[in-house]
Amino acid sequence: MQGSNTDYLLAVENLTVSFDGFKAVSDLNLYVDEKDIRVIIGPNGAGKTTLLDLICGKTKASEGSIKFRNRELTKMSESQIVLAGVGRKFQTPSIYDDLTVFENLEISYPKGRTVFGALTFLRDRAVIDRVEEISEIIFLKDMLNKRGEYLSHGQKQWLEIGMLLIQDPDLLMLDEPVAGMSVSERLKTAELLNRITSDRSVIVIEHDMKFVEDIARTVTVLHQGKILSEGTMDHVKNDPKVIEVYLGH
Ligand code: ADP
Ligand code: MG
């Protein structure tokens, strides 16, 4: 298969990374469709975050291939991977506390994308429209003039998702997005993710099983850098191997 073309949005094949001989991700294959939500679960240390680090180019693979729209990501820099259409959110929100919601979104708007060139007033209108559109998706439309420091933890997480969405990635990767959120914020986040996959794919790492049930179509269970189980939520929930190493605890 390696070297051949694929219809998958993302095709990870034989991916391995060794840290001083320890394989945090080991000979892993993972395929994600267009407009899919893939949830990755697994015990601490399973290699979930490392997998995202490999896809976004933060960590370099020791072996294997990561194809995104048939482009080999393992040979690209982090910034090239962002430009190729892969957005990644880390566990802790990194918004600007002293900027407003509007300004946080505005500075994330991709520069040089506009067709209007020097006609700045038209470009400004396009940016404002896009900021308003995104703020609605992330439940912050009424808070555009609030400074980041006054947002709740959950609202900060949404704002950071918005800062990625404004760049219109084809693949968005989120590492434990609902950690620390209230129950109602978790429900709204599930709604948010279901909405944004009408035209993009999302990979979510999550521990909260209720949240996983709300969003997952396919669940991948990682254990010791390898796939332990994969399938629908029902399938993995009833898989004895998964119960033994993860859900049983
Ligand atoms: P998870 O996100 O599933 O909890 P991680 O991907 O963070 O797990 O870590 C997987 C394993 O790889 C852990 O044992 C961790 O200590 C190790 N690891 C991750 N990054 C590095 C690194 N840069 N150097 C050495 N070991 C690492
Ligand atoms: Mg992790």
Side-chain angles (χ1 to χ4, degrees):
M1 277 299 280
Q2 210 165 322
S4 59
N5 272 359
T6 169
D7 290 335
Y8 290 104
L9 177 69
L10 181 77
V12 172
E13 293 186 328
N14 311 115
L15 188 66
T16 300
V17 65
S18 302
F19 298 120
D20 297 321
F22 168 75
K23 290 181 178 175
V25 168
S26 175
D27 203 21
L28 186 96
N29 295 322
L30 181 84
Y31 301 91
V32 178
D33 282 321
E34 302 268 357
K35 302 179 189 182
D36 198 5
I37 299 185
R38 172 64 56 92
V39 178
I40 299 176
I41 62 174
N44 280 334
K48 304 180 297 296
T49 298
T50 303
L51 175 61
L52 298 198
D53 289 346
L54 287 161
I55 296 170
C56 78
K58 184 169 176 257
T59 297
K60 287 293 160 204
S62 310
E63 280 170 65
S65 148
I66 304 171
K67 285 210 188 72
F68 176 72
R69 293 199 188 290
N70 284 310
R71 295 175 67 190
E72 184 58 55
L73 299 189
T74 53
K75 297 187 169 63
M76 290 164 60
S77 70
E78 268 184 275
S79 55
Q80 287 172 323
I81 292 170
V82 170
L83 287 174
V86 179
R88 190 261 175 93
K89 186 188 165 321
F90 290 86
Q91 265 167 277
T92 41
S94 57
I95 60 153
Y96 297 95
D97 274 343
D98 51 347
L99 297 184
T100 64
V101 169
F102 185 96
E103 289 162 344
N104 269 285
L105 291 169
E106 185 186 31
I107 54 158
S108 308
Y109 187 86
K111 289 167 192 60
R113 271 261 194 101
T114 169
V115 293
F116 302 116
L119 296 175
T120 41
F121 70 96
L122 282 179
R123 193 188 60 217
D124 290 350
R125 189 68 247 170
V127 175
I128 292 165
D129 288 350
R130 184 85 176 125
V131 166
E132 287 180 351
E133 183 191 343
I134 296 293
S135 70
E136 182 139 31
I137 297 173
I138 59 172
F139 315 108
L140 294 176
K141 184 146 192 167
D142 299 330
M143 307 194 78
L144 280 170
N145 296 319
K146 269 241 160 49
R147 276 162 50 159
E149 62 188 313
Y150 298 115
L151 301 180
S152 71
H153 171 75
Q155 288 169 330
K156 286 183 184 176
Q157 297 278 20
W158 293 337
L159 177 54
E160 202 184 0
I161 292 174
M163 291 163 74
L164 292 166
L165 281 178
I166 204 161
Q167 302 173 37
D168 204 17
D170 295 316
L171 174 64
L172 186 59
M173 303 193 292
L174 307 171
D175 201 344
E176 303 190 19
V178 300
M181 280 192 183
S182 68
V183 173
S184 74
E185 285 173 336
R186 285 170 196 228
L187 284 171
K188 286 172 91 172
T189 305
E191 182 191 326
L192 192 170
L193 294 189
N194 281 314
R195 245 192 265 161
I196 63 172
T197 49
S198 62
D199 52 5
R200 67 174 49 78
S201 298
V202 178
I203 297 178
V204 191
I205 293 175
E206 197 42 74
H207 284 294
D208 181 321
M209 292 312 284
K210 173 73 185 65
F211 179 76
V212 173
E213 293 203 30
D214 285 345
I215 61 164
R217 297 171 206 168
T218 309
V219 179
T220 297
V221 187
L222 274 193
H223 178 52
Q224 297 178 343
K226 290 177 181 293
I227 292 182
L228 183 71
S229 185
E230 192 167 77
T232 62
M233 188 67 201
D234 263 356
H235 172 83
V236 301
K237 233 174 30 181
N238 295 304
D239 184 334
K241 296 191 301 278
V242 177
I243 295 167
E244 190 191 328
V245 309
Y246 185 55
L247 296 175
H249 298 283

